[in-house]
Amino acid sequence: MSFDVARGGYTKAKKNKSSDSTRHYNDGRNAIKESKASPATIEKYTKRNTSTKNLSGTVLKVRPGKNPSFKDKKASAYVSMVEKKFREGAVAAAEAEILDTTEGGFIEAEGEMERTYKVKMGEIKDSVDEQTAKQIFDLSLTDHPPYNVSYSQTGRHLLLTGRLGHVALMDALTLQLKTEFHLTHSGVNSIRSSTFLHNHQMFALAEKKAVYIYDHNGSEVHHLSDHVDPLALQYLPYHWLLASVGRAGWLKYTDTSTGEKVCEHRTKLGSCGVMRQNNYNAVLNLGHGNGCVTMWSPASSTPLVKMLCHRGRVTGLANDLGGNYMVTSGVDKKVKVWDLRTFRPVHEYFSYNDVQSLDISQTGVLAVGAGGGVTFWKDALMVKQKSPYLSHRIMRGGASCNEVRFRPYEDVVGIGHDKGFSSIVVPGVGESNFDSFEANIYEDKKQRQEKEVRSLLDKLKPEMIQLDPEQVGAVERDRKALVMEQREKAKEADANKPKKEKKKARGRNKISKKLARKHKNIMDESKLKLMEKRKADMREKGMGDEVMTREEKKRKKGLEEGGALARFF
């Protein structure tokens, strides 16, 4: 393996990109040597961490610019060498961006009065090229609805599964049917979910009794009887793990390379039919019937995070590629955007119809499938938008959306509904430049086999799945030093915290004045004695009428003046 690849945890990093021709690739490498990448681009790659293994199998993690000190000189020299190779690989990956010659684009309105969501799919079909126009079509499949949609990791193949047992595997580029068969052994309501495995040669179906694995010819390869009554499936490609959650509320992991069950966790929250993975750290997000979203890892029997997101059942989940944002929907007809760095809501949207499916594209476009239509929201994660980017109504006749999925590396969206399947084009939703080392759309048989072997050799352990993948393989620090550092940071935070100014009341609002006014009319024995003593002292001094109190003077003045109000004094 080459150290030009910088991978931290579950995240994928860009590698040296190769074109379809070796001649073009060499020309690109020569161009890279003559040019230099910008410091900001290089910094983007050098900020990432890398995990490597030494000869003894110990995982070491090297942070750029931080060379840990070891008592063992060999270990210190090894870490220094790995750090040097990491920096070289990061710079090479940054310089390779010169090969990204294609740029994606969105629909832009020409005037202030125009709105992009008013553009119809027929207008887009007339404006694009012939190859792209072929991706806009509808399949009327009314015998086995509703349909689920799954795309392979490269986006080249499409898997359609009907709830009543219809399975179809298609080439999404040429629109050729690869295989098609009907399941009859599971009865009514047999297929609940589907997903591809490491490539399009194998896929898994969540049927009524268990999880079944089929090959690209439609032959049953494996039967996972431990996954009883599953409702949702997810596949973790870097760990070769197939996860399922079912009606009983058990989350189960199976290693597809060995066929062995890794672990199973009891969620204790009842039936669960919503599950999506976070592509940044491979943590599984589960949406439950009480409105909670839980995050799970094979290494923990309890949820890593438990969030109350909705007042009612969670109906949809989606994560962005960076792992910073999560979008949820519930029966309360709200779509909420959450920041996973703080686990707090950013903003929310309201839907007039029940939201059935959510998905986020590679460029951050949010798709919301509700009722008989799908709306697409551009830049809707960080900033709340007032209007959608595009909207599409499904086939006429009262079709209701069941699942919406973006096709990787293409501006194509697949929609499964209770009338069949619809494919539409949404400009700007797909990544325009693909990494042939990561997902090669045009790979042949030999390249696919080599990639499968390489993926097996690079398979990550299930224990490495955690919320922060940057901590995977990190060099363990002294516990006491770590505690002292945390205490110092806490002291600095308290010192920098602005002090709340004490409200100082003056004049009549002072607390002493308020108490004096409150107790002024209270006549107790001690106060009467004090008043008599004060009068006696003033008489001795010969002050006469001045000895009278304020009330006595007021009463005397009223009697002298007379009038209608004299009786009140």
Side-chain angles (χ1 to χ4, degrees):
M1 292 178 57
S2 173
F3 282 92
D4 290 346
V5 180
R7 176 182 293 177
Y10 191 74
T11 59
K12 64 177 183 178
K14 291 188 177 181
K15 310 169 185 178
N16 294 337
K17 309 222 177 147
S18 62
S19 61
D20 298 335
S21 174
T22 306
R23 176 177 58 81
H24 291 166
Y25 176 76
N26 293 332
D27 293 342
R29 296 301 298 174
N30 294 332
I32 291 173
K33 292 180 181 179
E34 296 176 359
S35 62
K36 294 183 179 179
S38 62
T41 306
I42 297 177
E43 184 182 0
K44 180 179 67 174
Y45 289 94
T46 54
K47 277 185 177 180
R48 298 186 179 181
N49 301 328
T50 181
S51 298
T52 57
K53 292 185 179 180
N54 57 13
L55 298 178
S56 61
T58 305
V59 179
L60 297 176
K61 183 175 181 181
V62 181
R63 299 177 184 271
K66 294 184 179 181
N67 186 2
S69 58
F70 293 94
K71 295 181 179 179
D72 190 355
K73 293 184 179 180
K74 290 184 178 180
S76 179
Y78 177 79
V79 172
S80 300
M81 179 190 65
V82 172
E83 182 179 5
K84 180 181 178 181
K85 291 186 176 182
F86 169 78
R87 289 183 176 179
E88 293 176 354
V91 172
E95 290 179 344
E97 287 193 351
I98 195 175
L99 298 177
D100 296 344
T101 57
T102 306
E103 295 183 0
F106 294 89
I107 297 178
E108 296 182 0
E110 294 182 355
E112 296 181 357
M113 302 300 294
E114 293 186 0
R115 297 292 182 267
T116 57
Y117 62 83
K118 294 183 179 180
V119 179
K120 304 299 181 181
M121 200 52 55
E123 300 178 20
I124 297 177
K125 188 174 183 180
D126 296 336
S127 303
V128 298
D129 58 276
E130 184 179 356
Q131 184 66 24
T132 306
K134 290 182 180 179
Q135 299 295 329
I136 303 176
F137 61 91
D138 294 320
L139 295 179
S140 180
L141 306 170
T142 57
D143 295 335
H144 307 277
Y147 276 82
N148 294 327
V149 183
S150 297
Y151 285 101
S152 61
Q153 189 177 5
T154 61
R156 179 65 185 267
H157 293 84
L158 168 66
L159 180 63
L160 297 177
T161 55
R163 185 67 58 86
L164 302 181
H166 178 219
V167 181
L169 178 62
M170 297 175 56
D171 189 326
L173 184 63
T174 61
L175 302 180
Q176 294 181 354
L177 183 64
K178 295 293 183 180
T179 183
E180 182 181 13
F181 58 94
H182 294 78
L183 300 176
T184 57
H185 59 273
S186 298
V188 182
N189 195 18
S190 59
I191 303 178
R192 287 85 176 271
S193 180
S194 61
T195 180
F196 281 99
L197 298 187
H198 55 279
N199 54 34
H200 69 278
Q201 298 288 312
M202 300 178 68
F203 55 89
L205 301 180
E207 301 183 25
K208 186 176 181 180
K209 296 182 179 179
V211 174
Y212 292 83
I213 298 178
Y214 299 88
D215 62 2
H216 63 286
N217 294 322
S219 302
E220 182 181 328
V221 178
H222 199 53
H223 172 211
L224 303 178
S225 57
D226 295 334
H227 299 251
V228 181
D229 201 7
L231 296 178
L233 293 177
Q234 282 291 303
Y235 181 71
L236 310 179
Y238 297 102
H239 302 78
W240 285 65
L241 292 178
L242 177 63
S244 72
V245 64
R247 199 177 301 277
W250 284 85
L251 175 63
K252 301 180 180 182
Y253 291 87
T254 298
D255 192 335
T256 57
S257 62
T258 60
E260 298 178 355
K261 183 175 69 174
V262 176
C263 61
E264 58 181 15
H265 302 317
R266 184 185 175 189
T267 61
K268 301 180 182 180
L269 293 174
S271 176
C272 177
V274 180
M275 178 172 62
R276 297 295 294 273
Q277 64 170 304
N278 189 335
N279 293 308
Y280 174 67
N281 50 21
V283 172
L284 292 180
N285 301 337
L286 274 64
H288 301 277
N290 60 353
C292 290
V293 172
T294 55
M295 302 182 185
W296 294 86
S297 168
S300 176
S301 59
T302 57
L304 304 176
V305 177
K306 186 177 181 180
M307 304 167 55
L308 180 60
C309 298
H310 293 275
R311 297 181 178 179
R313 181 172 58 90
V314 178
T315 59
L317 265 173
N319 293 90
D320 68 329
L321 288 179
N324 295 329
Y325 296 96
M326 178 182 69
V327 184
T328 61
S329 63
V331 293
D332 54 0
K333 297 184 179 181
K334 290 183 179 181
V335 178
K336 297 184 179 182
V337 181
W338 301 83
D339 191 337
L340 295 183
R341 293 164 292 187
T342 60
F343 300 104
R344 293 181 179 179
V346 181
H347 47 261
E348 64 181 36
Y349 300 89
F350 178 79
S351 175
Y352 290 100
N353 298 316
D354 293 334
V355 179
Q356 299 298 329
S357 180
L358 296 172
D359 199 18
I360 300 177
S361 71
Q362 294 173 323
T363 57
V365 177
L366 172 64
V368 180
V374 181
T375 56
F376 302 92
W377 300 79
K378 178 186 174 185
D379 301 329
L381 302 181
M382 294 179 286
V383 181
K384 186 174 182 179
Q385 302 296 322
K386 297 181 179 180
S387 60
Y389 167 59
L390 276 180
S391 63
H392 174 72
R393 297 295 300 177
I394 310 175
M395 299 170 58
R396 298 179 180 178
S400 178
C401 178
N402 182 58
E403 190 172 33
V404 54
R405 290 292 179 265
F406 288 101
R407 178 181 169 188
Y409 306 104
E410 293 288 344
D411 295 342
V412 179
V413 181
I415 306 171
H417 46 83
D418 55 5
K419 297 293 182 179
F421 171 76
S422 298
S423 177
I424 61 176
V425 172
V426 180
V429 299
E431 178 64 37
S432 56
N433 298 284
F434 67 92
D435 186 356
S436 60
F437 285 91
E438 182 68 27
N440 189 2
I441 303 176
Y442 307 103
E443 65 182 3
D444 54 16
K445 182 179 179 180
K446 187 174 181 60
Q447 289 175 334
R448 186 182 69 248
Q449 293 174 348
E450 290 179 353
K451 180 184 176 182
E452 185 174 349
V453 174
R454 191 183 301 111
S455 178
L456 271 173
L457 294 176
D458 295 340
K459 185 179 72 170
L460 302 177
K461 295 182 179 180
E463 295 80 9
M464 300 174 70
I465 299 177
Q466 55 182 347
L467 285 176
D468 186 9
E470 301 292 335
Q471 300 298 326
V472 175
V475 179
E476 186 177 0
R477 298 178 56 189
D478 186 13
R479 182 65 180 174
K480 293 183 179 179
L482 185 61
V483 172
M484 292 299 295
E485 183 179 351
Q486 292 177 352
R487 289 179 179 176
E488 291 294 333
K489 289 182 179 180
K491 289 182 180 179
E492 292 179 2
D494 293 339
N496 298 331
K497 185 178 180 180
K499 295 183 180 180
K500 185 178 180 181
E501 294 185 1
K502 187 177 180 180
K503 184 178 180 181
K504 296 182 179 180
R506 294 177 176 83
R508 298 185 60 184
N509 292 327
K510 291 178 65 174
I511 187 66
S512 59
K513 297 289 185 181
K514 290 182 179 180
L515 291 176
R517 288 196 301 269
K518 185 179 294 186
H519 295 283
K520 182 178 67 172
N521 296 325
I522 298 177
M523 305 298 292
D524 54 356
E525 186 178 356
S526 60
K527 191 172 183 179
L528 291 174
K529 290 182 179 179
L530 181 62
M531 292 176 62
E532 292 295 335
K533 184 178 179 181
R534 187 176 298 173
K535 287 182 181 180
D537 294 342
M538 295 181 71
R539 288 192 184 97
E540 291 178 359
K541 294 179 181 180
M543 299 182 67
D545 292 341
E546 296 181 3
V547 180
M548 292 188 299
T549 61
R550 184 180 303 175
E551 288 79 7
E552 293 175 352
K553 291 181 180 179
K554 189 175 181 181
R555 188 180 299 109
K556 181 180 179 180
K557 183 178 179 181
L559 292 173
E560 292 177 353
E561 293 180 354
L565 300 179
R567 65 180 183 274
F568 294 105
F569 294 97

